[in-house]
Every structure is written in structure tokens, then in C-alpha cells.
């Protein structure tokens, strides 16, 4: 091979390696979005906290360790902190159950007249996501990490739900 050809080949090879290095660097810096909840966004968490206090805390208790209200229906609903089971579900399931009220029949009181409301009638999708983001923001790091591992398993379902929500249909 002629020296000029070797120089061109070397420059081309170096350029190709540079492009690969830049692309790999960008890919490694971006973590895949596996969940739906913006639990690190202070604005969203603030909105969710207000809604949680007015719509959820009377039965589920406060997320600051306070107990359910004295006049809460008996039995009161499970807590949404690390002692409850919310964190065991992927984000899309939490969203769907909250919106649809599917769990309403499981949340009846002893006299059967109070149940978890179907929040689709009371809250819009954004508000439901805000509340769930607030709830997630209160979990200890270890609990959030475990829930995120569950989200990774269900990344496709979370992505499909995100797409539906972004396109105005859910």
C-alpha cells in the first residue's frame, strides 16, 4: 500500500472511532426512561402533595408518618409509604388502578358504603401522575430502587402508557 493510502485509511479509521466514542458517550449518559413518575421534580411533587392531602390522606394516612384521620372509614386503606405495598407495582399499574378504581371492591368498609373512588371522575391524568410522583418521592432510596427494578421489567408497558397519555388517550 502506498503511504498516501495508509494516511487516508488511518484518518478514516480514527474518524470512525471518534464517532463511535461520541455516540457511546451520549448513550451511556442517558438512562432509559422506564417509569412514568417524575418523583424528582419539585413542582410536580408539590402539586401531588396538595392533592394527596385533600384526596388520599384521610384514608391512607399522611406520608409524613401521621395516621389516617380519626373519622376515616374502617378499616382504613393501606399506607402508601414503605410499609404499604404500592411500591411493589410498576408505575403503569399504579396509574391504572388509581384511575379506574379497579381496587374499589377491595377497599369497602365494614358497612359497605364507602370505597375508594374512581379518580378518573375526580382527577385528570396529570393530577393522578402528580399524586403518584409525590408518593414515590417519599419512599426511602432502597424502596424506590426496588420499585425501579420492577419498572425495568415492565418498561414496555410503562412506555405504552406514556405514549397513550402523551397522545391524549388513556
Amino acid at each position: 500500500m502506498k503511504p498516501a493510502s495508509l494516511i487516508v485509511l488511518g484518518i478514516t479509521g480514527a474518524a470512525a472511532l471518534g464517532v463511535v466514542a461520541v455516540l457511546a458517550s451520549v448513550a451511556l449518559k442517558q438512562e432509559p426512561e422506564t417509569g412514568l413518575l417524575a418523583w424528582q421534580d419539585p413542582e410536580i411533587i408539590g402539586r401531588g402533595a396538595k392533592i394527596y392531602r385533600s384526596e388520599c390522606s384521610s384514608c391512607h394516612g399522611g406520608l409524613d408518618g401521621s395516621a389516617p384521620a380519626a373519622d376515616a372509614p374502617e378499616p382504613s386503606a393501606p399506607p402508601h409509604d414503605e410499609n404499604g405495598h404500592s411500591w411493589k407495582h410498576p408505575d403503569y399499574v399504579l396509574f391504572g388502578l388509581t384511575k379506574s378504581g379497579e381496587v374499589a371492591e377491595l377497599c369497602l368498609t365494614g358497612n359497605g358504603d364507602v370505597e375508594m373512588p374512581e379518580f378518573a371522575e375526580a382527577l385528570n391524568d396529570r393530577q393522578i401522575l402528580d399524586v403518584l410522583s409525590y408518593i414515590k418521592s417519599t419512599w426511602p432510596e432502597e424502596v424506590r430502587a426496588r420499585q425501579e427494578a420492577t419498572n425495568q421489567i415492565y418498561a414496555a408497558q410503562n412506555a405504552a402508557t406514556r405514549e397513550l397519555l402523551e397522545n391524549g388517550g388513556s
Side-chain angles (χ1 to χ4, degrees):
M1 230 188 232
K2 293 185 181 184
S5 297
L6 287 174
I7 292 172
V8 170
L9 184 61
I11 291 172
T12 304
L17 286 174
V19 168
V20 168
V22 168
L23 292 175
S25 171
V26 169
L28 291 173
K29 286 181 185 174
Q30 295 177 344
E31 291 183 27
E33 236 182 283
T34 58
L36 294 171
L37 307 179
W39 61 272
Q40 294 175 310
D41 185 313
E43 185 178 331
I44 290 172
I45 291 167
R47 290 192 314 251
K50 288 178 188 172
I51 297 168
Y52 185 90
R53 281 192 294 275
S54 68
E55 300 290 335
C56 311
S57 65
S58 63
C59 293
H60 290 280
L63 291 173
D64 56 1
S66 62
D71 61 347
E74 289 296 328
S76 63
H80 285 302
D81 61 13
E82 70 273 14
N83 298 310
H85 64 272
S86 301
W87 60 269
K88 295 179 181 180
H89 303 289
D91 293 351
Y92 85 97
V93 169
L94 295 173
F95 175 81
L97 292 173
T98 303
K99 182 171 177 146
S100 71
E102 268 183 62
V103 294
E105 64 274 3
L106 301 175
C107 299
L108 293 173
T109 62
N111 61 15
D113 65 352
V114 178
E115 60 185 42
M116 181 169 162
E118 295 177 27
F119 281 107
E121 298 172 9
L123 302 174
N124 64 39
D125 293 345
R126 176 77 267 149
Q127 292 171 314
I128 292 170
L129 290 171
D130 289 352
V131 169
L132 293 171
S133 295
Y134 165 66
I135 291 168
K136 185 170 183 171
S137 77
T138 66
W139 296 338
E141 176 100 18
E142 178 185 309
V143 170
R144 269 196 312 270
R146 290 175 70 187
Q147 198 264 347
E148 276 304 309
T150 301
N151 272 335
Q152 288 177 359
I153 294 167
Y154 294 98
Q157 291 87 340
N158 282 328
T161 302
R162 182 183 310 105
E163 186 175 331
L164 281 172
L165 294 170
E166 288 172 355
N167 293 324
S170 58

